[in-house]
Amino acid sequence: QVQLVESGGGLVQAGGSLRLSCAASGSAFSGYAMSWYRQTPGEQRELVASIGTGGSTKYADSVKDRFIISRDNVKNTVNLQMNELKPEDTAVYYCSAHDSMFRYWGQGTQVTVSA
């Protein structure tokens, strides 16, 4: 089992940047694939970016070339650098860890991008 604590959300103007961080504890972090999801009211949770145990990355088309996911297996953290933010990026962002059997979720952090 792993516990996930997110930080870094807030209010930013369009075109600005934010860096989200997710700190993991309670289990072997390096054994988990890590992802960032986001969700707005009335919408289904959307996969934003993921990074595998070997470091491979994937991005949603809507954030490609703007967002960067990274992980530090020594500090047990996963980060999401968000650049060139747009109002449509406004959502609650969730950190997620996935092993061979379970998926774990953080509590979410609000990101609001003003026009």
Side-chain angles (χ1 to χ4, degrees):
Q1 186 175 345
V2 62
Q3 293 78 48
L4 306 172
V5 179
E6 298 145 305
S7 62
L11 175 65
V12 66
Q13 290 189 340
S17 298
L18 283 174
R19 183 176 177 88
L20 305 183
S21 182
C22 174
S25 63
S27 190
F29 177 78
S30 61
Y32 293 93
M34 302 296 297
S35 300
W36 287 95
Y37 287 74
R38 66 187 182 188
Q39 188 171 25
T40 57
E43 300 292 333
Q44 189 169 333
R45 191 167 296 180
E46 173 192 22
L47 176 64
V48 177
S50 63
I51 184 166
T53 58
S56 61
T57 58
K58 294 182 179 180
Y59 298 92
D61 288 340
S62 59
V63 306
K64 283 182 178 177
D65 303 320
R66 297 190 298 121
F67 291 9
I68 301 172
I69 187 171
S70 61
R71 68 188 298 161
D72 187 330
N73 290 341
V74 176
K75 298 181 178 179
N76 289 354
T77 58
V78 60
N79 301 299
L80 185 68
Q81 178 66 47
M82 304 185 294
N83 301 314
E84 302 173 36
L85 284 163
K86 304 175 181 179
E88 52 262 44
D89 295 320
T90 295
V92 177
Y93 283 71
Y94 297 90
C95 178
S96 179
H98 184 211
D99 63 16
S100 61
M101 296 184 65
F102 302 103
R103 182 175 291 280
Y104 306 92
W105 297 96
Q107 79 287 348
T109 184
Q110 177 71 47
V111 172
T112 302
V113 184
S114 61

PDB file of all heavy atoms in Angstrom, residues 51-68:
ATOM      1  N   ILE A  51       3.961   7.859 -16.136  1.00  0.00           N
ATOM      2  CA  ILE A  51       5.364   7.486 -16.230  1.00  0.00           C
ATOM      3  C   ILE A  51       5.517   6.100 -15.639  1.00  0.00           C
ATOM      4  O   ILE A  51       5.046   5.816 -14.532  1.00  0.00           O
ATOM      5  CB  ILE A  51       6.275   8.528 -15.547  1.00  0.00           C
ATOM      6  CG1 ILE A  51       7.751   8.165 -15.747  1.00  0.00           C
ATOM      7  CG2 ILE A  51       5.936   8.696 -14.072  1.00  0.00           C
ATOM      8  CD1 ILE A  51       8.693   9.310 -15.399  1.00  0.00           C
ATOM      9  N   GLY A  52       6.142   5.205 -16.388  1.00  0.00           N
ATOM     10  CA  GLY A  52       6.273   3.829 -15.976  1.00  0.00           C
ATOM     11  C   GLY A  52       7.435   3.611 -15.032  1.00  0.00           C
ATOM     12  O   GLY A  52       8.217   4.515 -14.726  1.00  0.00           O
ATOM     13  N   THR A  53       7.547   2.372 -14.561  1.00  0.00           N
ATOM     14  CA  THR A  53       8.641   2.039 -13.647  1.00  0.00           C
ATOM     15  C   THR A  53      10.004   2.177 -14.312  1.00  0.00           C
ATOM     16  O   THR A  53      11.003   2.399 -13.617  1.00  0.00           O
ATOM     17  CB  THR A  53       8.472   0.616 -13.109  1.00  0.00           C
ATOM     18  OG1 THR A  53       8.417  -0.314 -14.201  1.00  0.00           O
ATOM     19  CG2 THR A  53       7.188   0.497 -12.288  1.00  0.00           C
ATOM     20  N   GLY A  54      10.050   2.045 -15.632  1.00  0.00           N
ATOM     21  CA  GLY A  54      11.288   2.213 -16.372  1.00  0.00           C
ATOM     22  C   GLY A  54      11.526   3.615 -16.886  1.00  0.00           C
ATOM     23  O   GLY A  54      12.538   3.854 -17.556  1.00  0.00           O
ATOM     24  N   GLY A  55      10.610   4.542 -16.611  1.00  0.00           N
ATOM     25  CA  GLY A  55      10.788   5.925 -17.003  1.00  0.00           C
ATOM     26  C   GLY A  55      10.089   6.343 -18.278  1.00  0.00           C
ATOM     27  O   GLY A  55      10.175   7.511 -18.666  1.00  0.00           O
ATOM     28  N   SER A  56       9.402   5.425 -18.946  1.00  0.00           N
ATOM     29  CA  SER A  56       8.682   5.793 -20.162  1.00  0.00           C
ATOM     30  C   SER A  56       7.501   6.691 -19.815  1.00  0.00           C
ATOM     31  O   SER A  56       6.862   6.525 -18.773  1.00  0.00           O
ATOM     32  CB  SER A  56       8.208   4.551 -20.902  1.00  0.00           C
ATOM     33  OG  SER A  56       7.322   3.786 -20.104  1.00  0.00           O
ATOM     34  N   THR A  57       7.188   7.639 -20.692  1.00  0.00           N
ATOM     35  CA  THR A  57       6.138   8.618 -20.429  1.00  0.00           C
ATOM     36  C   THR A  57       5.095   8.617 -21.531  1.00  0.00           C
ATOM     37  O   THR A  57       5.378   8.302 -22.687  1.00  0.00           O
ATOM     38  CB  THR A  57       6.718  10.027 -20.295  1.00  0.00           C
ATOM     39  OG1 THR A  57       7.418  10.373 -21.498  1.00  0.00           O
ATOM     40  CG2 THR A  57       7.681  10.103 -19.126  1.00  0.00           C
ATOM     41  N   LYS A  58       3.867   8.979 -21.154  1.00  0.00           N
ATOM     42  CA  LYS A  58       2.769   9.176 -22.086  1.00  0.00           C
ATOM     43  C   LYS A  58       2.000  10.419 -21.673  1.00  0.00           C
ATOM     44  O   LYS A  58       1.913  10.732 -20.488  1.00  0.00           O
ATOM     45  CB  LYS A  58       1.836   7.964 -22.111  1.00  0.00           C
ATOM     46  CG  LYS A  58       2.454   6.687 -22.648  1.00  0.00           C
ATOM     47  CD  LYS A  58       1.442   5.552 -22.672  1.00  0.00           C
ATOM     48  CE  LYS A  58       2.051   4.274 -23.221  1.00  0.00           C
ATOM     49  NZ  LYS A  58       1.066   3.158 -23.239  1.00  0.00           N
ATOM     50  N   TYR A  59       1.412  11.106 -22.652  1.00  0.00           N
ATOM     51  CA  TYR A  59       0.679  12.330 -22.398  1.00  0.00           C
ATOM     52  C   TYR A  59      -0.626  12.344 -23.173  1.00  0.00           C
ATOM     53  O   TYR A  59      -0.704  11.832 -24.292  1.00  0.00           O
ATOM     54  CB  TYR A  59       1.500  13.554 -22.799  1.00  0.00           C
ATOM     55  CG  TYR A  59       2.782  13.716 -22.024  1.00  0.00           C
ATOM     56  CD1 TYR A  59       3.971  13.177 -22.495  1.00  0.00           C
ATOM     57  CD2 TYR A  59       2.794  14.413 -20.822  1.00  0.00           C
ATOM     58  CE1 TYR A  59       5.147  13.322 -21.778  1.00  0.00           C
ATOM     59  CE2 TYR A  59       3.972  14.562 -20.103  1.00  0.00           C
ATOM     60  CZ  TYR A  59       5.141  14.011 -20.588  1.00  0.00           C
ATOM     61  OH  TYR A  59       6.306  14.163 -19.869  1.00  0.00           O
ATOM     62  N   ALA A  60      -1.641  12.951 -22.588  1.00  0.00           N
ATOM     63  CA  ALA A  60      -2.849  13.237 -23.334  1.00  0.00           C
ATOM     64  C   ALA A  60      -2.533  14.237 -24.439  1.00  0.00           C
ATOM     65  O   ALA A  60      -1.671  15.108 -24.281  1.00  0.00           O
ATOM     66  CB  ALA A  60      -3.926  13.798 -22.409  1.00  0.00           C
ATOM     67  N   ASP A  61      -3.233  14.108 -25.562  1.00  0.00           N
ATOM     68  CA  ASP A  61      -2.979  15.004 -26.681  1.00  0.00           C
ATOM     69  C   ASP A  61      -3.145  16.471 -26.292  1.00  0.00           C
ATOM     70  O   ASP A  61      -2.432  17.343 -26.802  1.00  0.00           O
ATOM     71  CB  ASP A  61      -3.915  14.675 -27.847  1.00  0.00           C
ATOM     72  CG  ASP A  61      -3.550  13.372 -28.534  1.00  0.00           C
ATOM     73  OD1 ASP A  61      -2.404  12.911 -28.384  1.00  0.00           O
ATOM     74  OD2 ASP A  61      -4.421  12.819 -29.239  1.00  0.00           O
ATOM     75  N   SER A  62      -4.067  16.753 -25.388  1.00  0.00           N
ATOM     76  CA  SER A  62      -4.361  18.123 -25.012  1.00  0.00           C
ATOM     77  C   SER A  62      -3.230  18.803 -24.245  1.00  0.00           C
ATOM     78  O   SER A  62      -3.208  20.030 -24.141  1.00  0.00           O
ATOM     79  CB  SER A  62      -5.649  18.177 -24.181  1.00  0.00           C
ATOM     80  OG  SER A  62      -5.523  17.389 -23.014  1.00  0.00           O
ATOM     81  N   VAL A  63      -2.289  18.029 -23.699  1.00  0.00           N
ATOM     82  CA  VAL A  63      -1.212  18.610 -22.899  1.00  0.00           C
ATOM     83  C   VAL A  63       0.166  18.335 -23.470  1.00  0.00           C
ATOM     84  O   VAL A  63       1.165  18.809 -22.907  1.00  0.00           O
ATOM     85  CB  VAL A  63      -1.265  18.129 -21.434  1.00  0.00           C
ATOM     86  CG1 VAL A  63      -2.646  18.384 -20.840  1.00  0.00           C
ATOM     87  CG2 VAL A  63      -0.896  16.655 -21.326  1.00  0.00           C
ATOM     88  N   LYS A  64       0.244  17.598 -24.569  1.00  0.00           N
ATOM     89  CA  LYS A  64       1.547  17.311 -25.170  1.00  0.00           C
ATOM     90  C   LYS A  64       2.275  18.605 -25.513  1.00  0.00           C
ATOM     91  O   LYS A  64       1.682  19.560 -25.983  1.00  0.00           O
ATOM     92  CB  LYS A  64       1.379  16.460 -26.425  1.00  0.00           C
ATOM     93  CG  LYS A  64       1.091  14.996 -26.150  1.00  0.00           C
ATOM     94  CD  LYS A  64       0.986  14.196 -27.436  1.00  0.00           C
ATOM     95  CE  LYS A  64       0.746  12.728 -27.165  1.00  0.00           C
ATOM     96  NZ  LYS A  64       0.579  11.947 -28.417  1.00  0.00           N
ATOM     97  N   ASP A  65       3.568  18.620 -25.262  1.00  0.00           N
ATOM     98  CA  ASP A  65       4.453  19.758 -25.526  1.00  0.00           C
ATOM     99  C   ASP A  65       4.268  20.897 -24.532  1.00  0.00           C
ATOM    100  O   ASP A  65       4.945  21.924 -24.647  1.00  0.00           O
ATOM    101  CB  ASP A  65       4.299  20.280 -26.954  1.00  0.00           C
ATOM    102  CG  ASP A  65       4.551  19.214 -28.001  1.00  0.00           C
ATOM    103  OD1 ASP A  65       5.489  18.412 -27.818  1.00  0.00           O
ATOM    104  OD2 ASP A  65       3.816  19.181 -29.006  1.00  0.00           O
ATOM    105  N   ARG A  66       3.371  20.738 -23.561  1.00  0.00           N
ATOM    106  CA  ARG A  66       3.190  21.748 -22.518  1.00  0.00           C
ATOM    107  C   ARG A  66       3.491  21.206 -21.121  1.00  0.00           C
ATOM    108  O   ARG A  66       4.018  21.933 -20.281  1.00  0.00           O
ATOM    109  CB  ARG A  66       1.764  22.303 -22.543  1.00  0.00           C
ATOM    110  CG  ARG A  66       1.406  23.019 -23.829  1.00  0.00           C
ATOM    111  CD  ARG A  66       0.077  23.763 -23.690  1.00  0.00           C
ATOM    112  NE  ARG A  66      -1.036  22.851 -23.428  1.00  0.00           N
ATOM    113  CZ  ARG A  66      -1.817  22.912 -22.354  1.00  0.00           C
ATOM    114  NH1 ARG A  66      -1.606  23.851 -21.429  1.00  0.00           N
ATOM    115  NH2 ARG A  66      -2.820  22.059 -22.201  1.00  0.00           N
ATOM    116  N   PHE A  67       3.133  19.953 -20.856  1.00  0.00           N
ATOM    117  CA  PHE A  67       3.316  19.345 -19.544  1.00  0.00           C
ATOM    118  C   PHE A  67       4.457  18.339 -19.594  1.00  0.00           C
ATOM    119  O   PHE A  67       4.684  17.687 -20.617  1.00  0.00           O
ATOM    120  CB  PHE A  67       2.051  18.617 -19.093  1.00  0.00           C
ATOM    121  CG  PHE A  67       0.880  19.505 -18.764  1.00  0.00           C
ATOM    122  CD1 PHE A  67       0.886  20.863 -19.042  1.00  0.00           C
ATOM    123  CD2 PHE A  67      -0.243  18.954 -18.164  1.00  0.00           C
ATOM    124  CE1 PHE A  67      -0.199  21.659 -18.733  1.00  0.00           C
ATOM    125  CE2 PHE A  67      -1.337  19.745 -17.853  1.00  0.00           C
ATOM    126  CZ  PHE A  67      -1.321  21.095 -18.137  1.00  0.00           C
ATOM    127  N   ILE A  68       5.147  18.178 -18.469  1.00  0.00           N
ATOM    128  CA  ILE A  68       6.222  17.199 -18.339  1.00  0.00           C
ATOM    129  C   ILE A  68       6.048  16.458 -17.022  1.00  0.00           C
ATOM    130  O   ILE A  68       5.991  17.080 -15.962  1.00  0.00           O
ATOM    131  CB  ILE A  68       7.609  17.856 -18.389  1.00  0.00           C
ATOM    132  CG1 ILE A  68       7.810  18.622 -19.699  1.00  0.00           C
ATOM    133  CG2 ILE A  68       8.695  16.788 -18.228  1.00  0.00           C
ATOM    134  CD1 ILE A  68       9.080  19.447 -19.735  1.00  0.00           C
TER     135      ILE A  68
END
